[in-house]
Each structure stands twice: as C-alpha cells, then as structure tokens.
Amino acid sequence: MSSPSSRSVTFRAEPGRPLQGRVRVPGDKSISHRSIMLGSLAEGVTEVSGFLEGEDSLATLNAFRAMGVTIERPGPGDVRIHGVGMQGLKAPAQALDLGNSGTSMRLMAGLMAGQTFDVTLIGDSSLSRRPMERVAKPLRLMGAVIDTADKGCPPMHIHGQARLKGIDYATPMASAQVKSCLLLAGLYAEGETRVTEPAPTRDHTERMLQGFGYSVQVNGLTCAVTGGGRLQATSIEVPADISSAAFFMVAASIIPSSDIVLEHVGVNPTRTGVIDILRLMGANIALENERVVGGEPVADIRVRAARLHGIDIPEHLVPLAIDEFPVLFVAAAVASGTTRLSGAEELRVKESDRIQVMADNLIAVGVKARATPDGMVIEGGPIGGGQVDSHGDHRIAMSFTVAAQLASGPITIADCANVATSFPGFVALASAAGMTVTEATA
Ligand code: S3P
C-alpha cells in the first residue's frame, strides 16, 4: 500500500459561506513530537491526550517504536508510552525514516548523538533538501560524530558511543529546532549545555522537560540543562495547534459576516505572533476562557470578520509566527494597501521555499506580490481563479484553500497530500465551518 503522501491529491476550492460555529483543530505538532521523545526516555508510563495523528508526529512515534519503545494508541488522540529510561533505547534494525518532518530529524539528531548505537536518519524528497549542518555543527562541538550528505542535507549518520560534553552555544538563527536539539543532546552530556538564541522561539522543549521533572535554567534568551538527570513519566494534554487554527483565523477575518470560535488552542506567547500580526492588520480576535493546561497556556479564540489593511510586519514577530506566513500572505493579498515582510529568510528553508512558492502562486491568481531575499511585498487587491502548485508543502496547500474563499473563480491546488502531515481531516473541518473545498485523489 502506498503511504498517504505518495498519493497525488488535488484540492479545488471556491467561495463558500461565512464561517460559523465552534471548531477544534487537531493537536499541536511541536508538542506532540516532544511528548513521544520525552515520554519514551522517561521512567514510567506517560499518557498523552490530544496527540496529533498527522504523518509528521506519527513518524516520530514510529521511530521510537523502532528503537524498542512500546507505544499504544488506545483511542483517537490518545497515546500511552511505556518509557524505557534515558539509557533504554535499542538500535533500530534499519534507517529511521522521518518522512517530511524536519522537527523529527533535528530534535532526534540531538537525542541520537547521546546513544551507544549508530543511527541513520532519512526523509522524503523535501526533507532531503533541508539544511542539517545547523544542528550537526554544534553537536560536533559537543563531541558527537555525525556525517551529513551533500550540502549538509540528509541522510544523517550519527555514530554511537560518543562522549558528549556541554557547550555554551549562541545559535546563529532563531530556531527552536536547533535550540531543542542541543538541549536534548545536553541531557546526555557531561556538565552544562547552554544555548543562547538571537530572538525568542517556541519554548515547548523547556516547558515539557520541566513537566517531566528535569530542571532547565532559563534566563532571558539563554537556557541550560545539566546532563545525567532522569525524566519522570507524566500526563500530557496537547492543546489544539495554533498553526492549524491560523487558517481559520485568516479565513474568518476575510470572509464577510464570519464569526467562529476556535476551541482549546495553545496560546503560548512564543507562538502567538499570528494573532499580533492579524490584530495590527485590523482583525477582530478575542481570547476567551484563558487557562493553563499542563504547563501550556490555552484559550478559545473568537474571530469575527473585519476589514484588514496592509502593514509593515514588525521583525520581532517573525520567529513567533514563522509557520503562519503562507496564510498571512493571503491575508495581505486581500487587505487594503501594502504589506511588507522582511527578516524572514528562514522561510526559504521550510518544507518548500515559502517565499518563492507563495510569490509565484499569488502572482498566478492575479495578486501583486514580489519576493525579496528575506520576505515579500504584497499589494492587496482582488484574487482571481486559476491553478497553483503547493510543491508538496502542507501550509501552502491550506493557504490557497483560504485564498479561494474570496477568489473570483475556483482555484485548483496541486500536490496537497502532505496536508496530512500536520492537519488530517482539514478538508472535512474546513467544509463543516463553511469553506468550499473538495479533494481529488489520483
Ligand atoms: C518547530 C520549530 C520551527 C517550526 C517548525 C516546528 C519546532 O522550525 O518552523 O514547524 O517544533 O521546534 P525552526 O526551528 O527551524 O524555525
């Protein structure tokens, strides 16, 4: 049987009705990955609810099963992990295939560097083009022995038996994956591993380590762990993913008369840049019922239609909205006036080159968009129908589904199978909320 993302999936989307009702999008991808990793290495049984059953987080789950961890899935979104302790992983029989998932590869590189056995990490064609030296280089400074392939891309061969030692490392780019990789390697290192980032990035690793009873020192942009400790099993309730909710936030903002509530969304301040940017553009977004669940802030998010206007996106918000720019570009395309983004060169090394692919696709449906080396300039105006290509990038596929809701004709979106990496059930949920989108599989 072919894996879901080897199928060819095309979306066809066109204007629907105003978005209404209450919507719960699937669980947070970043938190889901980390729950498997830390649960596997903990002592005792970790129960996870709200787990994202998307291909990316399932790639992590399957990788840990392949290293001997018993992981049960008793019901939808429920995962029970029988932790093996810090030294309990076993050599996998073959290379670990992490599919489309950069988070799996970069975070696991840190953990694998501390094992006694050799591991090879591989991925699909998109992941095989993504830069891995950003983690391999500092891991080597810690004493890891790692080979990457041509241009520093996967496969990554990580040799076991390395004696890791803590380092004090300043990450050159704002990346939660690099920070998390080094903290996870630091669990196996002698002494303290200290990471300083140029700007705040998502802090789920730091929070979850503490939830498993592991001490993490956080001081401004620096965080540190000392190796040699243990993780104690816990229970984790994964909130809905704000990155998935973002498609509904933009759709409800731009489709006249919309009024929806997105339930139980993670609103960790290192992830809420999308709300700040939309509000600066004039969006009507209210956080209701704010609470803290398992160490992560959560809220219901009410979004009502509003007239959006273009802005210069403040650069400090870029790392806090890094996955939401494809759909924010759609908001900019229908806003009045000009939106400018700069300082976002990291978008060029995501699942696709999100600056070039979004600019090409926006232009294909009549939007005045211009790619720059580190961002985009977009003049708001009408969107036409036409054909676009997501280049296998889940967030680009979903962004053009949103764009089509205001287009003058249908938009056909090619290469959408990877929507299943982060948002299984997207077409059904978007349709139930009011969008018009159908899916054809070949
Ligand atoms: C993630 C960090 C971000 C983000 C990715 C998930 C994480 O990547 O784009 O979707 O879970 O740590 P970078 O650290 O490369 O910015």
Side-chain angles (χ1 to χ4, degrees), residues 29-30 34 103 106 134 174-177 202 322-323 350:
K29 183 150 75 77
S30 294
R34 289 158 170 82
T103 308
R106 299 211 180 99
R134 56 178 59 198
S175 166
Q177 293 182 355
R202 65 192 69 192
I322 194 67
D323 291 336
K350 294 295 179 187

Side-chain angles (χ1 to χ4, degrees), residues 122-206:
I122 60 173
D124 70 4
S125 59
S126 154
L127 184 52
S128 299
R129 288 192 296 269
R130 296 181 66 186
M132 292 301 146
E133 280 298 316
R134 56 178 59 198
V135 291
K137 197 173 138 216
L139 287 173
R140 287 187 199 111
L141 295 175
M142 295 177 76
V145 182
I146 301 183
D147 310 315
T148 56
D150 226 20
K151 300 197 183 97
C153 293
M156 297 184 86
H157 298 288
I158 303 170
H159 300 265
Q161 308 276 9
R163 283 176 56 93
L164 301 185
K165 51 184 184 324
I167 54 168
D168 187 349
Y169 189 70
T171 60
M173 71 290 285
S175 166
Q177 293 182 355
V178 177
K179 169 180 65 176
S180 299
C181 168
L182 299 180
L183 291 177
L184 294 175
L187 304 181
Y188 288 94
E190 193 187 313
E192 191 182 57
T193 299
R194 185 191 289 265
V195 185
T196 302
E197 38 187 5
T201 66
R202 65 192 69 192
D203 63 357
H204 305 301
T205 303
E206 298 91 301

Side-chain angles (χ1 to χ4, degrees), residues 175-412:
S175 166
Q177 293 182 355
V178 177
K179 169 180 65 176
S180 299
C181 168
L182 299 180
L183 291 177
L184 294 175
L187 304 181
Y188 288 94
E190 193 187 313
E192 191 182 57
T193 299
R194 185 191 289 265
V195 185
T196 302
E197 38 187 5
T201 66
R202 65 192 69 192
D203 63 357
H204 305 301
T205 303
E206 298 91 301
R207 287 176 189 251
M208 199 183 286
L209 278 170
Q210 286 164 330
F212 277 86
Y214 209 104
S215 156
V216 183
Q217 270 70 53
V218 181
N219 185 1
L221 292 169
T222 300
C223 55
V225 294
T226 299
R230 290 140 72 124
L231 300 168
Q232 192 53 50
T234 184
S235 57
I236 295 171
E237 192 183 326
V238 182
D241 197 328
I242 190 168
S243 298
S244 298
F247 301 103
F248 291 83
M249 286 184 211
V250 171
S253 296
I254 66 178
I255 301 170
S257 307
S258 294
D259 184 354
I260 57 163
V261 175
L262 298 157
E263 293 178 338
H264 206 77
V265 180
V267 288
N268 180 318
T270 60
R271 296 286 297 281
T272 47
V274 61
I275 297 176
D276 299 334
I277 292 169
L278 284 172
R279 281 181 173 157
L280 289 172
M281 297 177 77
N284 182 347
I285 301 178
L287 266 50
E288 300 174 346
N289 196 13
E290 289 186 66
R291 57 233 184 243
V292 174
V293 178
E296 289 279 351
V298 169
D300 300 327
I301 303 180
R302 182 170 181 190
V303 187
R304 281 168 277 191
R307 276 184 203 287
L308 302 187
H309 55 83
I311 58 166
D312 288 352
I313 297 174
E315 284 199 12
H316 77 271
L317 293 176
V318 169
L320 311 180
I322 194 67
D323 291 336
E324 287 68 71
F325 285 106
V327 78
L328 285 168
F329 293 153
V330 170
V334 300
S336 61
T338 306
T339 296
R340 289 180 201 84
L341 172 68
S342 57
E345 57 279 345
E346 278 292 304
L347 293 179
R348 292 202 177 268
V349 291
K350 294 295 179 187
E351 286 84 327
S352 70
D353 175 345
R354 287 184 174 160
I355 292 176
Q356 200 57 51
V357 174
M358 282 302 300
D360 292 347
N361 282 332
L362 286 169
I363 291 166
V365 292
V367 176
K368 289 190 186 132
R370 183 167 58 82
T372 65
D374 65 343
M376 183 110 73
V377 181
I378 299 174
E379 302 279 347
I383 296 187
Q387 295 192 353
V388 299
D389 188 333
S390 84
H391 288 255
D393 187 325
H394 54 137
R395 301 202 194 279
I396 290 183
M398 291 185 274
S399 297
F400 277 91
T401 305
V402 174
Q405 305 309 307
L406 284 198
S408 59
I411 297 182
T412 305

